[in-house]
Structure formats: C-alpha cells, structure tokens
Amino acid sequence: MKLGLIGIYRYADYLSFACNLHAYAFQQDLREPAKFAEAKYRTAIAAKASTPAAVKDRNTAARKWAVLAMRYRALTEKRKLRYDKLESFISQHLDFTEEEYDSDLFEIEDPGMDCYICVTEVIWQPWTPNYSFDRGLMLGSKAFEGKPKIAYAPSRGAKPDFEPDLSNAFFEYLEDNESISARERDFGQYIEENTGRTIPRVIDPVLLHGQDFWRKIAVPPNEQRYLLLYYVMERSTDTVAKAVKYAKANDLTIVELSDRPMRYGKVTDPGVKHVPRYDVSAKEWLGYISHADAVFTNSFHGCCFSLIFEKLFLVGKRNGNKVPNFLSEFGLTNQQFAPDDDVADFSKSIDFSQAQAHMLDFRSQSEEFLLTALQQAEESSDASSEAASRKHTARRREITYPALFHSGALANSSEVTSVSVTDSDSQGLKVKKLRTGSIEYSTPGVAYTNNGLERIAPNKFQTPTHQLAGWTLKFRVDKRWFRYLSDKTLAEGTPRGATWTPARWYSKTERRSRISPSIPFLP
C-alpha cells in the first residue's frame, strides 16, 4: 500500500527547523524573500484609503512589510545559506513528490496513493485570507475521495473552539476520516464532545524517536558553556529578558536562534556574551540543543527536544495551549516561568525519569494507534465509499470563484482585424491586454457557484464575421488558477516556459453554435 503524507513540510515563511524533522521522524520564492516583502510594501503604500481607519490599516501594513524587507535584505546571504542547508537536509533524508500539491491541485490530480495521512502541526485551523479550512490538509479534496484517511497528531494551534459556521464545516470534513487522533488534549476533547467519537491522543512525531536517533544527525556546535535562547513568533520578550539575567548569573554565553530574520537578535545587554545565529541548519539546531547548559524557549519543539536530550530548559509565555499542554502531559509545568519570577529561584536541574518513562508509554500508544489505523486502511483500501463521494460532491457544489474570459489567438489570426465587447454592460468590465496581444476581461464582483446548474455568461468577444468556438476562460478556487479550454478540458496554471494554445475563431458561416456551457465541474 502506497502512503501519502500530507502536511506542512517546506518550513513556510520563516524556515522553521521542525517542519523537516516532522517528516524525517515520520518517514523514516523562500530563498530570497526580501523582494517579496518589498513588493508587498509597495502595494501597501499604493493602496487607496478613503477613511482614517483605512489610512491607519494601510500605514500599519506598510510598516510591517518595510521592517520585514529590511531584515531580510540585511540577512540576504545568511538567509540563502539557511535555506540551502534546509534544502540539503530534504534532499538527503526526505522523499517528496516531484509536484508540490495544494488543495486545488488535489481537485484535478491524484498523486496515486492508496492511503493518505495528514501529519501533525497546526494544520487544522482556518487559513487567511478567506478564513476557511484548507481542503488538502483536511483531506477533503477530490484526490482523497474513496481513499482511507488517517489524521496523526493534527493541531488547531492557538485558536479556541471554532465559530458555528466554521465548526459545521470542520466536523463535516471529519465525517469520512476513518482514523483521527489529536496532539493536544483540549483539541481531542473538543472533537469528542462534538462527534461522540473517541479521539486518542498521540505523541508528536519527533518524540517517536529517542536520543540515539537524533544524535546521529545532530551537528555539535563550536561554542561551549552556553545558554541556548530559541524563541518563535509572538510574546518572546520575557523569554529573552530572563535568558539574559540567567546567563549573567551563571557566566554563560547566549547563543540566540530565532525563526525571525534579525541581524543582531533581540539581546542588547552589553554585559552578556552573545552569539546571534541565523544561518544554521536543522542538524545544527539539534546540536545546539543537545550540548546546551540550559535552554530558554517559548517553542513547542524547543521543549520536545529539550526533553529528548534531557536538557535543563525554561519556558516563557506564548499564545495558545500547545506548550502548557506539553508541560502538563510530562509533569514539567514548573519549567514555565511568569514575567515577574526571579531567575534566582529557577531550577538548576530537572529529574527527567518520570517524564522519560511516560514518553516511552505514550510513544507505544501512538505507535499502536498508527499501526491499527494502517491495518484498517489496508483492509478497506479497495472499498469505494459512495457516502464519501456524495460528501465531496456536495462540498464542490458550494465552491464559488471568479472567471476571466480570453479572446483567443488575436495576434496570430490574419482574418480577425478587430475585437469589440458589444454588450450594454461593457462599462462594468475590467479589460486587460496580455503580452501575447490577446485580451482578457472579467466582471468585478461577479463569482460563479459550482453547483452544476448555474451557467457561465456568454463570452462577449465578437467580430463582424467570426466567433469564438468553445469557451476559453480561467477561474480561481482558493489560491490556484485553472483554465477551461475550448475543448472543454481543464488545465492547471501555465507551466514555466510553456505557452497556451488559444481557442480558434470560426467563420459564422460555419454555423458554429455559441452555447453557454454549464460551469465546469471539477473532475
């Protein structure tokens, strides 16, 4: 049975170390983002704002992108090095499909797996900009239809219980998921209360392996007698402040690592020895944790690997319950400090014996869940689910999307001398001339519903003697554009270096009918 692991493995915007390590444990453009941030800054500055609130929002967005662009620009070479190191880890240790799939591509292309497993991290949360669940991560796209589906250790992150509309959509996705587990206790309880199902809690994939497994790939650091300061995302101020005081009190150098691009880090006290690092690999990150005298972190996986390597670690505040749940699970709640706590009272060592014993039991339970789920999947892999098919069909019928119409091969047709939009509503159209010489238009604010009944408006392009055969348009579902070709087939995007074969124009004397087609149903 061929298994497909669905998750967040390409470390997102901030080149997270743990993304790759999840996949490594379970299996056994990001390189130069300054240009992207600068483009976002220019867009924010150029945005029109007609009210004081809109002006404030525009300026806030502009400042955000300006700061991020400057940080990335200052760390361009180190960012490239960090990116290349993570890519090297992928090529050495991970097995990815050649195609990078998202929820939209899963609608028209099946990778050919027999069973799919969505794996860990914050994958079951609403995503911006449309604040809805990702169908791919929820195993709700067409490619998963009729296939066994397993959820191993998904998380909803810091988000509390979902609002009613989101909650209904969320639990509909779960109905045809055969085997579900949860990483956090409160998330599992939330699913149980709303479904009546028993949701086993399972250990994070990185905890499925012990010290020996991870030490084989960890790269020892050059620094000695140091405190590792590793923070992520929000609310890291108290973590940094307490790390500085602890390092000064114990004569330790601070090695500062972060997922955020800051050239000199957040440590500014001249009275402490300080080594900021940004260009490290996942292997070096493991090495820094395993050889540290102490670890100060607000990271969930910083806590996980501190437990694995049995390192003294102290935890600052962070939004959400991931870290408190972890500490409670392993009897380590005393390791989290409050902003007003005195570092003189911090523990100098940790007795990991009970935590390690619990981790072994928890690991065994998690392995049992996974093996049972895989066995059930193998037994049911040949059985198609008519009910699941109906649910997928119902979801696709709710999809709405904008459509853009294309004029065809104007530049290559010697017979077509002009094209005009003749309908009375032409003033409401958004028209764009493409580099090929052809024209594209759309109607702002108009979106079609994929219900199998609604019909696309006729293509408005005409000539005195010719008309367009078939219907050439493109439409967007979530993030990906598709093209509906004149032969009534679907194609995704435009392959790099390739060109599209445009629709033909036929003489009206050929009696080609201009039938408005039903909205193309995603296959």
Side-chain angles (χ1 to χ4, degrees):
M1 182 170 62
K2 294 175 66 176
L3 301 177
L5 306 185
I6 310 296
I8 306 172
Y9 295 133
R10 302 299 286 212
Y11 31 72
D13 294 337
Y14 296 103
L15 300 187
S16 168
F17 302 113
C19 284
N20 295 160
L21 298 179
H22 283 146
Y24 178 59
F26 208 72
Q27 283 186 359
Q28 216 5 103
D29 181 284
L30 291 172
R31 193 169 186 263
E32 296 185 71
K35 295 178 181 178
F36 173 79
E38 289 162 357
K40 285 287 190 179
Y41 167 75
R42 290 192 293 270
T43 300
I45 287 294
K48 295 181 179 180
S50 56
T51 66
V55 171
K56 182 179 179 181
D57 290 343
R58 179 191 64 188
N59 293 343
T60 298
R63 283 194 297 270
K64 167 193 168 183
W65 289 111
V67 170
L68 200 57
M70 287 188 292
R71 288 178 175 177
Y72 279 133
R73 185 61 66 190
L75 287 168
T76 295
E77 295 307 315
K78 288 188 176 182
R79 169 79 180 196
K80 290 180 182 178
L81 185 56
R82 178 166 169 166
Y83 179 93
D84 291 344
K85 286 179 177 179
L86 294 179
E87 285 292 298
S88 176
F89 182 90
I90 289 173
S91 64
Q92 290 179 44
H93 301 290
L94 302 180
D95 185 16
F96 282 120
T97 57
E98 292 185 7
E99 181 64 64
E100 184 177 334
Y101 288 88
D102 59 18
S103 60
D104 296 337
L105 188 55
F106 276 131
E107 292 289 356
I108 67 169
E109 184 175 317
D110 186 346
M113 304 297 175
D114 301 309
C115 172
Y116 290 93
I117 310 174
C118 60
V119 183
T120 201
E121 258 311 320
V122 186
I123 55 176
W124 282 5
Q125 68 169 359
W127 295 81
T128 55
N130 58 353
Y131 202 61
S132 60
F133 295 101
D134 186 292
R135 297 190 314 283
L137 296 176
M138 295 296 302
L139 301 182
S141 295
K142 175 69 176 179
F144 311 122
E145 186 175 319
K147 305 285 184 69
K149 290 174 280 292
I150 301 170
Y152 184 89
S155 173
R156 62 178 168 178
K159 182 67 182 174
D161 296 351
F162 304 126
E163 292 82 358
D165 288 347
L166 283 171
S167 178
N168 291 337
F170 176 73
F171 290 113
E172 283 181 7
Y173 277 119
L174 298 194
E175 285 180 3
D176 58 342
N177 195 316
E178 290 83 354
S179 301
I180 303 174
S181 61
R183 191 175 69 179
E184 280 83 46
R185 182 187 300 273
D186 56 347
F187 189 32
Q189 291 174 340
Y190 173 65
I191 297 174
E192 289 181 342
E193 291 168 0
N194 286 274
T195 64
R197 300 174 64 170
T198 299
I199 306 299
R201 285 186 306 109
V202 293
I203 207 165
D204 189 88
V206 301
L207 297 171
L208 289 171
H209 301 280
Q211 285 190 28
D212 292 343
F213 176 86
W214 293 111
R215 287 192 187 281
K216 290 177 182 177
I217 63 170
V219 175
N222 294 323
E223 292 81 4
Q224 296 180 351
R225 281 195 48 76
Y226 63 87
L227 175 156
L228 175 63
L229 171 59
Y230 176 62
Y231 55 87
V232 296
M233 298 185 185
E234 70 288 327
R235 299 192 64 176
S236 59
T237 302
D238 64 323
T239 306
V240 175
K242 290 295 191 293
V244 170
K245 291 182 179 179
Y246 190 94
K248 292 172 72 173
N250 293 277
D251 192 27
L252 296 173
T253 298
I254 292 181
V255 174
E256 180 179 355
L257 306 181
S258 174
D259 63 342
R260 301 294 156 127
M262 289 179 289
R263 189 170 188 176
Y264 303 109
K266 285 191 172 184
V267 175
T268 58
D269 191 324
V272 64
K273 291 175 286 186
H274 175 224
V275 179
R277 291 291 310 275
Y278 183 72
D279 57 348
V280 298
S281 67
K283 294 180 179 181
E284 290 171 307
W285 179 67
L286 291 174
Y288 272 119
I289 295 176
S290 65
H291 288 79
D293 287 73
V295 176
F296 275 68
T297 187
N298 66 353
S299 157
F300 174 83
H301 286 101
C303 294
C304 287
F305 281 104
S306 295
L307 170 58
I308 289 172
F309 292 122
E310 298 189 12
K311 288 292 165 180
L312 170 65
F313 73 107
L314 295 134
V315 185
K317 292 294 183 181
R318 182 180 168 185
N319 294 339
N321 294 321
K322 288 196 302 182
V323 170
N325 279 339
F326 170 87
L327 297 175
S328 176
E329 181 68 45
F330 292 98
L332 298 168
T333 53
N334 290 337
Q335 299 313 119
Q336 185 159 35
F337 56 80
D340 57 350
D341 286 349
D342 189 340
V343 297
D345 298 328
F346 287 3
S347 59
K348 297 295 191 294
S349 63
I350 301 175
D351 181 357
F352 284 102
S353 57
Q354 290 186 354
Q356 287 286 354
H358 180 58
M359 183 166 61
L360 290 176
D361 290 339
F362 203 179
R363 185 182 298 164
S364 178
Q365 295 171 20
S366 302
E367 291 171 346
E368 182 179 354
F369 162 80
L370 187 58
L371 291 174
T372 300
L374 289 173
Q375 182 178 358
Q376 292 174 347
E378 192 162 15
E379 293 171 353
S380 65
S381 60
D382 294 330
S384 62
S385 171
E386 184 177 342
S389 180
R390 288 198 300 268
K391 290 171 185 174
H392 281 276
T393 298
R395 291 187 193 122
R396 289 199 298 278
R397 287 183 181 276
E398 297 174 354
I399 295 174
T400 61
Y401 48 81
L404 283 75
F405 292 82
H406 188 255
S407 65
L410 302 180
N412 300 323
S413 175
S414 59
E415 297 184 35
V416 179
T417 57
S418 65
V419 175
S420 61
V421 177
T422 59
D423 285 29
S424 59
D425 64 345
S426 61
Q427 296 302 315
L429 301 181
K430 181 179 179 180
V431 181
K432 178 181 180 181
K433 186 171 183 179
L434 306 179
R435 287 179 294 179
T436 59
S438 55
I439 301 171
E440 184 177 79
Y441 79 84
S442 62
T443 306
V446 174
Y448 295 96
T449 303
N450 191 20
N451 58 15
L453 300 174
E454 188 170 354
R455 302 181 76 80
I456 297 176
N459 193 319
K460 300 176 185 296
F461 289 111
Q462 299 178 15
T463 71
T465 59
H466 289 69
Q467 65 189 38
L468 188 64
W471 298 91
T472 303
L473 60 95
K474 69 179 181 180
F475 59 93
R476 187 184 70 236
V477 179
D478 287 337
K479 301 176 285 294
R480 191 182 291 258
W481 284 94
F482 295 87
R483 296 182 184 252
Y484 185 56
L485 306 183
S486 57
D487 62 359
K488 297 186 179 181
T489 61
L490 289 175
E492 182 273 322
T494 303
R496 185 174 297 177
T499 57
W500 285 96
T501 302
R504 293 178 56 196
W505 287 79
Y506 289 93
S507 167
K508 289 184 178 179
T509 59
E510 295 183 58
R511 299 182 182 276
R512 296 276 180 171
S513 62
R514 302 188 67 188
I515 300 173
S516 178
S518 159
I519 281 192
F521 208 63
L522 294 178

